[in-house]
mmCIF file of all heavy atoms in Angstrom:
data_model
loop_
_atom_site.group_PDB
_atom_site.id
_atom_site.type_symbol
_atom_site.label_atom_id
_atom_site.label_comp_id
_atom_site.label_asym_id
_atom_site.label_seq_id
_atom_site.Cartn_x
_atom_site.Cartn_y
_atom_site.Cartn_z
ATOM 1 N N MET A 29 -67.683 -18.259 -62.137
ATOM 2 C CA MET A 29 -67.240 -17.772 -60.824
ATOM 3 C C MET A 29 -66.758 -16.333 -60.909
ATOM 4 O O MET A 29 -67.066 -15.511 -60.033
ATOM 5 C CB MET A 29 -66.119 -18.675 -60.288
ATOM 6 C CG MET A 29 -66.579 -20.019 -59.784
ATOM 7 S SD MET A 29 -65.237 -20.919 -58.984
ATOM 8 C CE MET A 29 -66.102 -22.410 -58.474
ATOM 9 N N ILE A 30 -65.990 -16.048 -61.946
ATOM 10 C CA ILE A 30 -65.489 -14.680 -62.113
ATOM 11 C C ILE A 30 -66.647 -13.721 -62.350
ATOM 12 O O ILE A 30 -66.664 -12.604 -61.812
ATOM 13 C CB ILE A 30 -64.471 -14.626 -63.272
ATOM 14 C CG1 ILE A 30 -63.206 -15.398 -62.903
ATOM 15 C CG2 ILE A 30 -64.114 -13.181 -63.616
ATOM 16 C CD1 ILE A 30 -62.220 -15.540 -64.037
ATOM 17 N N ASP A 31 -67.622 -14.152 -63.153
ATOM 18 C CA ASP A 31 -68.773 -13.299 -63.427
ATOM 19 C C ASP A 31 -69.555 -13.017 -62.150
ATOM 20 O O ASP A 31 -69.969 -11.878 -61.901
ATOM 21 C CB ASP A 31 -69.679 -13.970 -64.464
ATOM 22 C CG ASP A 31 -70.876 -13.116 -64.829
ATOM 23 O OD1 ASP A 31 -70.681 -11.983 -65.302
ATOM 24 O OD2 ASP A 31 -72.024 -13.569 -64.627
ATOM 25 N N ALA A 32 -69.764 -14.059 -61.326
ATOM 26 C CA ALA A 32 -70.480 -13.865 -60.057
ATOM 27 C C ALA A 32 -69.690 -12.942 -59.127
ATOM 28 O O ALA A 32 -70.270 -12.080 -58.437
ATOM 29 C CB ALA A 32 -70.718 -15.216 -59.385
ATOM 30 N N GLN A 33 -68.382 -13.096 -59.097
ATOM 31 C CA GLN A 33 -67.536 -12.246 -58.268
ATOM 32 C C GLN A 33 -67.607 -10.796 -58.734
ATOM 33 O O GLN A 33 -67.761 -9.865 -57.911
ATOM 34 C CB GLN A 33 -66.103 -12.761 -58.352
ATOM 35 C CG GLN A 33 -65.054 -11.908 -57.666
ATOM 36 C CD GLN A 33 -63.667 -12.503 -57.846
ATOM 37 O OE1 GLN A 33 -63.361 -13.579 -57.331
ATOM 38 N NE2 GLN A 33 -62.807 -11.810 -58.591
ATOM 39 N N ARG A 34 -67.519 -10.578 -60.035
ATOM 40 C CA ARG A 34 -67.600 -9.218 -60.569
ATOM 41 C C ARG A 34 -68.975 -8.604 -60.297
ATOM 42 O O ARG A 34 -69.083 -7.415 -59.981
ATOM 43 C CB ARG A 34 -67.331 -9.240 -62.071
ATOM 44 C CG ARG A 34 -65.869 -9.464 -62.437
ATOM 45 C CD ARG A 34 -65.699 -9.656 -63.925
ATOM 46 N NE ARG A 34 -64.302 -9.635 -64.345
ATOM 47 C CZ ARG A 34 -63.885 -9.892 -65.576
ATOM 48 N NH1 ARG A 34 -64.770 -10.189 -66.523
ATOM 49 N NH2 ARG A 34 -62.606 -9.843 -65.865
ATOM 50 N N ARG A 35 -70.014 -9.440 -60.444
ATOM 51 C CA ARG A 35 -71.363 -8.917 -60.201
ATOM 52 C C ARG A 35 -71.507 -8.442 -58.754
ATOM 53 O O ARG A 35 -72.076 -7.377 -58.489
ATOM 54 C CB ARG A 35 -72.405 -9.993 -60.514
ATOM 55 C CG ARG A 35 -73.851 -9.514 -60.332
ATOM 56 C CD ARG A 35 -74.816 -10.640 -60.593
ATOM 57 N NE ARG A 35 -74.914 -10.923 -61.994
ATOM 58 C CZ ARG A 35 -75.720 -10.291 -62.837
ATOM 59 N NH1 ARG A 35 -76.474 -9.279 -62.400
ATOM 60 N NH2 ARG A 35 -75.782 -10.619 -64.091
ATOM 61 N N ARG A 36 -70.987 -9.241 -57.807
ATOM 62 C CA ARG A 36 -71.072 -8.830 -56.396
ATOM 63 C C ARG A 36 -70.335 -7.514 -56.164
ATOM 64 O O ARG A 36 -70.838 -6.617 -55.468
ATOM 65 C CB ARG A 36 -70.491 -9.925 -55.496
ATOM 66 C CG ARG A 36 -71.351 -11.159 -55.381
ATOM 67 C CD ARG A 36 -70.862 -12.065 -54.257
ATOM 68 N NE ARG A 36 -69.502 -12.534 -54.484
ATOM 69 C CZ ARG A 36 -69.191 -13.652 -55.137
ATOM 70 N NH1 ARG A 36 -70.156 -14.408 -55.646
ATOM 71 N NH2 ARG A 36 -67.936 -14.026 -55.278
ATOM 72 N N GLN A 37 -69.146 -7.402 -56.757
ATOM 73 C CA GLN A 37 -68.367 -6.168 -56.589
ATOM 74 C C GLN A 37 -69.094 -4.980 -57.228
ATOM 75 O O GLN A 37 -69.130 -3.888 -56.641
ATOM 76 C CB GLN A 37 -66.990 -6.348 -57.219
ATOM 77 C CG GLN A 37 -66.106 -7.356 -56.507
ATOM 78 C CD GLN A 37 -64.824 -7.633 -57.265
ATOM 79 O OE1 GLN A 37 -64.709 -7.365 -58.459
ATOM 80 N NE2 GLN A 37 -63.823 -8.181 -56.580
ATOM 81 N N ALA A 38 -69.657 -5.193 -58.416
ATOM 82 C CA ALA A 38 -70.359 -4.106 -59.106
ATOM 83 C C ALA A 38 -71.607 -3.693 -58.345
ATOM 84 O O ALA A 38 -71.936 -2.491 -58.262
ATOM 85 C CB ALA A 38 -70.724 -4.535 -60.529
ATOM 86 N N GLU A 39 -72.324 -4.652 -57.776
ATOM 87 C CA GLU A 39 -73.528 -4.332 -57.009
ATOM 88 C C GLU A 39 -73.186 -3.537 -55.752
ATOM 89 O O GLU A 39 -73.971 -2.681 -55.320
ATOM 90 C CB GLU A 39 -74.280 -5.615 -56.658
ATOM 91 C CG GLU A 39 -74.993 -6.236 -57.865
ATOM 92 C CD GLU A 39 -75.651 -7.557 -57.556
ATOM 93 O OE1 GLU A 39 -75.361 -8.117 -56.466
ATOM 94 O OE2 GLU A 39 -76.448 -8.049 -58.384
ATOM 95 N N GLN A 40 -72.037 -3.816 -55.170
ATOM 96 C CA GLN A 40 -71.599 -3.017 -54.022
ATOM 97 C C GLN A 40 -71.335 -1.572 -54.436
ATOM 98 O O GLN A 40 -71.661 -0.628 -53.693
ATOM 99 C CB GLN A 40 -70.340 -3.637 -53.412
ATOM 100 C CG GLN A 40 -70.574 -4.973 -52.719
ATOM 101 C CD GLN A 40 -69.287 -5.643 -52.277
ATOM 102 O OE1 GLN A 40 -68.196 -5.129 -52.525
ATOM 103 N NE2 GLN A 40 -69.400 -6.790 -51.628
ATOM 104 N N VAL A 41 -70.756 -1.393 -55.635
ATOM 105 C CA VAL A 41 -70.529 -0.040 -56.155
ATOM 106 C C VAL A 41 -71.858 0.668 -56.369
ATOM 107 O O VAL A 41 -72.037 1.847 -56.004
ATOM 108 C CB VAL A 41 -69.724 -0.097 -57.476
ATOM 109 C CG1 VAL A 41 -69.685 1.282 -58.137
ATOM 110 C CG2 VAL A 41 -68.320 -0.600 -57.214
ATOM 111 N N VAL A 42 -72.819 -0.029 -56.963
ATOM 112 C CA VAL A 42 -74.145 0.557 -57.227
ATOM 113 C C VAL A 42 -74.808 0.962 -55.924
ATOM 114 O O VAL A 42 -75.364 2.068 -55.807
ATOM 115 C CB VAL A 42 -75.022 -0.448 -58.003
ATOM 116 C CG1 VAL A 42 -76.459 0.071 -58.106
ATOM 117 C CG2 VAL A 42 -74.451 -0.697 -59.391
ATOM 118 N N GLU A 43 -74.751 0.081 -54.931
ATOM 119 C CA GLU A 43 -75.387 0.391 -53.648
ATOM 120 C C GLU A 43 -74.746 1.620 -53.006
ATOM 121 O O GLU A 43 -75.433 2.484 -52.446
ATOM 122 C CB GLU A 43 -75.294 -0.809 -52.712
ATOM 123 C CG GLU A 43 -76.012 -0.578 -51.380
ATOM 124 C CD GLU A 43 -76.031 -1.813 -50.510
ATOM 125 O OE1 GLU A 43 -75.376 -2.811 -50.873
ATOM 126 O OE2 GLU A 43 -76.683 -1.773 -49.449
ATOM 127 N N ARG A 44 -73.444 1.706 -53.089
ATOM 128 C CA ARG A 44 -72.766 2.871 -52.502
ATOM 129 C C ARG A 44 -73.187 4.166 -53.181
ATOM 130 O O ARG A 44 -73.515 5.160 -52.513
ATOM 131 C CB ARG A 44 -71.241 2.671 -52.611
ATOM 132 C CG ARG A 44 -70.399 3.848 -52.153
ATOM 133 C CD ARG A 44 -68.986 3.395 -51.850
ATOM 134 N NE ARG A 44 -68.369 2.696 -52.965
ATOM 135 C CZ ARG A 44 -67.692 3.296 -53.949
ATOM 136 N NH1 ARG A 44 -67.546 4.616 -53.939
ATOM 137 N NH2 ARG A 44 -67.162 2.589 -54.925
ATOM 138 N N PHE A 45 -73.220 4.158 -54.526
ATOM 139 C CA PHE A 45 -73.553 5.379 -55.258
ATOM 140 C C PHE A 45 -75.046 5.720 -55.200
ATOM 141 O O PHE A 45 -75.409 6.889 -55.321
ATOM 142 C CB PHE A 45 -73.079 5.274 -56.711
ATOM 143 C CG PHE A 45 -71.636 5.627 -56.903
ATOM 144 C CD1 PHE A 45 -70.661 4.643 -56.937
ATOM 145 C CD2 PHE A 45 -71.247 6.950 -57.014
ATOM 146 C CE1 PHE A 45 -69.331 4.969 -57.096
ATOM 147 C CE2 PHE A 45 -69.908 7.292 -57.177
ATOM 148 C CZ PHE A 45 -68.938 6.293 -57.211
ATOM 149 N N GLN A 46 -75.910 4.706 -55.019
ATOM 150 C CA GLN A 46 -77.331 5.037 -54.972
ATOM 151 C C GLN A 46 -77.670 5.856 -53.725
ATOM 152 O O GLN A 46 -78.486 6.787 -53.772
ATOM 153 C CB GLN A 46 -78.191 3.766 -55.049
ATOM 154 C CG GLN A 46 -78.189 2.897 -53.819
ATOM 155 C CD GLN A 46 -78.903 1.566 -54.057
ATOM 156 O OE1 GLN A 46 -79.055 1.129 -55.190
ATOM 157 N NE2 GLN A 46 -79.334 0.915 -52.978
ATOM 158 N N TRP A 47 -76.986 5.540 -52.593
ATOM 159 C CA TRP A 47 -77.276 6.318 -51.386
ATOM 160 C C TRP A 47 -76.515 7.641 -51.386
ATOM 161 O O TRP A 47 -76.964 8.620 -50.785
ATOM 162 C CB TRP A 47 -76.942 5.492 -50.148
ATOM 163 C CG TRP A 47 -77.740 4.218 -50.083
ATOM 164 C CD1 TRP A 47 -77.266 2.948 -50.016
ATOM 165 C CD2 TRP A 47 -79.169 4.108 -50.106
ATOM 166 N NE1 TRP A 47 -78.290 2.052 -50.010
ATOM 167 C CE2 TRP A 47 -79.476 2.737 -50.060
ATOM 168 C CE3 TRP A 47 -80.210 5.036 -50.176
ATOM 169 C CZ2 TRP A 47 -80.777 2.261 -50.071
ATOM 170 C CZ3 TRP A 47 -81.524 4.569 -50.185
ATOM 171 C CH2 TRP A 47 -81.795 3.197 -50.138
ATOM 172 N N ILE A 48 -75.376 7.675 -52.089
ATOM 173 C CA ILE A 48 -74.691 8.964 -52.276
ATOM 174 C C ILE A 48 -75.587 9.903 -53.079
ATOM 175 O O ILE A 48 -75.765 11.083 -52.739
ATOM 176 C CB ILE A 48 -73.338 8.766 -52.993
ATOM 177 C CG1 ILE A 48 -72.346 8.063 -52.068
ATOM 178 C CG2 ILE A 48 -72.770 10.108 -53.454
ATOM 179 C CD1 ILE A 48 -71.025 7.715 -52.743
ATOM 180 N N GLY A 49 -76.175 9.376 -54.172
ATOM 181 C CA GLY A 49 -77.082 10.190 -54.993
ATOM 182 C C GLY A 49 -78.279 10.667 -54.217
ATOM 183 O O GLY A 49 -78.727 11.818 -54.375
ATOM 184 N N ALA A 50 -78.823 9.780 -53.343
ATOM 185 C CA ALA A 50 -79.973 10.174 -52.529
ATOM 186 C C ALA A 50 -79.609 11.328 -51.609
ATOM 187 O O ALA A 50 -80.366 12.297 -51.469
ATOM 188 C CB ALA A 50 -80.460 8.977 -51.711
ATOM 189 N N GLY A 51 -78.422 11.248 -50.984
ATOM 190 C CA GLY A 51 -78.003 12.316 -50.079
ATOM 191 C C GLY A 51 -77.820 13.640 -50.791
ATOM 192 O O GLY A 51 -78.210 14.706 -50.271
ATOM 193 N N VAL A 52 -77.249 13.589 -52.019
ATOM 194 C CA VAL A 52 -77.040 14.824 -52.778
ATOM 195 C C VAL A 52 -78.369 15.489 -53.118
ATOM 196 O O VAL A 52 -78.533 16.717 -52.985
ATOM 197 C CB VAL A 52 -76.240 14.523 -54.062
ATOM 198 C CG1 VAL A 52 -76.203 15.755 -54.971
ATOM 199 C CG2 VAL A 52 -74.816 14.080 -53.712
ATOM 200 N N VAL A 53 -79.348 14.700 -53.565
ATOM 201 C CA VAL A 53 -80.646 15.262 -53.963
ATOM 202 C C VAL A 53 -81.395 15.795 -52.749
ATOM 203 O O VAL A 53 -82.086 16.830 -52.825
ATOM 204 C CB VAL A 53 -81.476 14.202 -54.708
ATOM 205 C CG1 VAL A 53 -82.899 14.699 -54.944
ATOM 206 C CG2 VAL A 53 -80.816 13.850 -56.034
ATOM 207 N N VAL A 54 -81.282 15.116 -51.604
ATOM 208 C CA VAL A 54 -81.964 15.596 -50.395
ATOM 209 C C VAL A 54 -81.398 16.954 -49.984
ATOM 210 O O VAL A 54 -82.137 17.866 -49.584
ATOM 211 C CB VAL A 54 -81.811 14.566 -49.257
ATOM 212 C CG1 VAL A 54 -82.203 15.187 -47.916
ATOM 213 C CG2 VAL A 54 -82.677 13.354 -49.543
ATOM 214 N N VAL A 55 -80.106 17.111 -50.082
ATOM 215 C CA VAL A 55 -79.470 18.371 -49.690
ATOM 216 C C VAL A 55 -79.803 19.483 -50.668
ATOM 217 O O VAL A 55 -80.027 20.636 -50.268
ATOM 218 C CB VAL A 55 -77.943 18.175 -49.589
ATOM 219 C CG1 VAL A 55 -77.249 19.508 -49.344
ATOM 220 C CG2 VAL A 55 -77.609 17.202 -48.467
ATOM 221 N N THR A 56 -79.840 19.141 -51.971
ATOM 222 C CA THR A 56 -80.130 20.148 -52.998
ATOM 223 C C THR A 56 -81.324 19.679 -53.819
ATOM 224 O O THR A 56 -81.160 19.111 -54.918
ATOM 225 C CB THR A 56 -78.919 20.341 -53.918
ATOM 226 O OG1 THR A 56 -78.549 19.076 -54.486
ATOM 227 C CG2 THR A 56 -77.746 20.913 -53.155
ATOM 228 N N PRO A 57 -82.560 19.827 -53.313
ATOM 229 C CA PRO A 57 -83.752 19.353 -54.026
ATOM 230 C C PRO A 57 -83.878 20.018 -55.393
ATOM 231 O O PRO A 57 -83.459 21.152 -55.602
ATOM 232 C CB PRO A 57 -84.895 19.747 -53.094
ATOM 233 C CG PRO A 57 -84.341 20.815 -52.214
ATOM 234 C CD PRO A 57 -82.894 20.525 -52.062
ATOM 235 N N LEU A 58 -84.469 19.268 -56.333
ATOM 236 C CA LEU A 58 -84.578 19.721 -57.719
ATOM 237 C C LEU A 58 -85.935 20.364 -57.961
ATOM 238 O O LEU A 58 -86.953 19.958 -57.381
ATOM 239 C CB LEU A 58 -84.389 18.529 -58.669
ATOM 240 C CG LEU A 58 -83.044 17.790 -58.518
ATOM 241 C CD1 LEU A 58 -83.063 16.515 -59.315
ATOM 242 C CD2 LEU A 58 -81.909 18.691 -58.968
ATOM 243 N N PRO A 59 -85.984 21.354 -58.876
ATOM 244 C CA PRO A 59 -87.252 22.028 -59.163
ATOM 245 C C PRO A 59 -88.220 21.161 -59.956
ATOM 246 O O PRO A 59 -89.420 21.403 -59.943
ATOM 247 C CB PRO A 59 -86.815 23.254 -59.977
ATOM 248 C CG PRO A 59 -85.517 22.851 -60.604
ATOM 249 C CD PRO A 59 -84.852 21.963 -59.606
#
C-alpha cells in the first residue's frame, strides 16, 4: 500500500515536471 501510494505521488511529480520541461524548451528552442 505504501509503495502504491508513493508511486502515485511520484508519478504526479513526474507529470508536473514533464510539462514544465516542455514549456521551457518551447520558449527557448535548442539548436
Side-chain angles (χ1 to χ4, degrees):
M29 286 187 179
I30 292 173
D31 182 59
Q33 174 181 293
R34 286 172 170 174
R35 182 183 286 275
R36 288 192 299 270
Q37 293 173 341
E39 287 176 348
Q40 291 173 358
V41 171
V42 172
E43 183 175 7
R44 175 160 54 88
F45 277 96
Q46 72 188 21
W47 300 122
I48 290 175
V52 171
V53 172
V54 166
V55 173
T56 56
L58 302 170

